[in-house]
Amino acid sequence: MNGPVVVGVDGSWASLAAVQTAALEAERRGTGLRLAHALAWSSARVPAGVPPWDPDGAGRRDLVGRLLDEAERWARKVAPEVTVTGDVLMGDPGRVLESESRTASLAVVAGRRASGLAGRLTGRGRCPLLVVRGRAQRHGCVVLADAASEDAAEFAFAEAAVRNADLVVLHARALGALAGLRKKYPGVTVHDRRLRRRTGRALVEASDGAQLVVIAAHHRAAELLPGWAGRTLMSRAHCPVAVVPAGKA
């Protein structure tokens, strides 16, 4: 998908860090960056011609404008050539990002908000989700946490190729299934690392020094969510974590 990278903006330091990570991702992909600020729908009666998110003229328009301008400045610090657009969208953050993900190549959220948004975005969104953890790095390997997921494996190989990074495959009993991807991405060096236990702590340790960890989303009840180990990774990883639902690599 060649759509923009979309990131939620709320003015917090965490969201500004997510904006910079999203800007770097847009630069890698050669696509635009879209800044989305979510506002709950006003219950007040809105006069004709007045923005629904500032019906009483309380200055919210100016405040939101400053938030988006500041986010754009942070994005341009790390990726000055990326085309940046921004908008105020009505609804809760989960619904807004879910809607935006339908035309995006990647959705980006700050790590502290991952638990509240990951279920909605991986279950109902239309693109992979990047959870910003630790510090974004330009060096280090890409880690694939589950070689049994074809979509996660495809995403991991593509990321390793564009980052010019080695790919470390954990739980590599399914390495034979990667033969086609090795041929498709001949420039990617693949390493097999076996873990004694498939635990959240082991995945967190594997993330140390990596650029990115890729995990697959799995069916749980009525929505798609990573397993317990994956959720531990999203909350404690030393680097960003990409969550790839089936059919959305």
Side-chain angles (χ1 to χ4, degrees), residues 29-73:
R29 288 166 169 75
T31 188
L33 173 66
R34 181 158 172 78
L35 311 173
H37 181 79
L39 278 178
W41 185 265
S42 173
S43 61
R45 184 177 181 82
V46 181
V50 175
W53 39 272
D54 196 14
D56 55 2
R60 189 175 296 180
R61 181 189 185 101
D62 293 337
L63 174 60
V64 172
R66 289 195 296 271
L67 290 178
L68 291 174
D69 288 345
E70 179 69 3
E72 182 174 349
R73 284 193 291 270

Side-chain angles (χ1 to χ4, degrees), residues 132-216:
V132 178
R133 292 288 314 166
R135 300 180 63 180
Q137 301 185 53
R138 291 183 179 269
H139 304 286
C141 63
V142 171
V143 176
L144 172 60
D146 188 354
S149 167
E150 294 181 5
D151 294 287
E154 173 80 35
F155 185 89
F157 267 87
E159 287 296 311
V162 76
R163 295 164 184 263
N164 194 28
D166 288 2
L167 177 63
V168 174
V169 181
L170 308 180
H171 316 141
R173 289 175 296 179
L175 270 178
L178 302 181
L181 290 173
R182 286 175 178 268
K183 293 180 179 179
K184 185 176 180 178
Y185 299 95
V188 175
T189 300
V190 181
H191 305 276
D192 173 5
R193 184 187 301 175
R194 298 183 181 276
L195 300 180
R196 292 183 178 179
R197 294 182 297 174
R198 185 173 178 175
T199 65
R201 180 177 179 179
L203 293 180
V204 171
E205 291 174 352
S207 73
D208 191 13
Q211 288 190 55
L212 177 71
V213 177
V214 180
I215 60 177

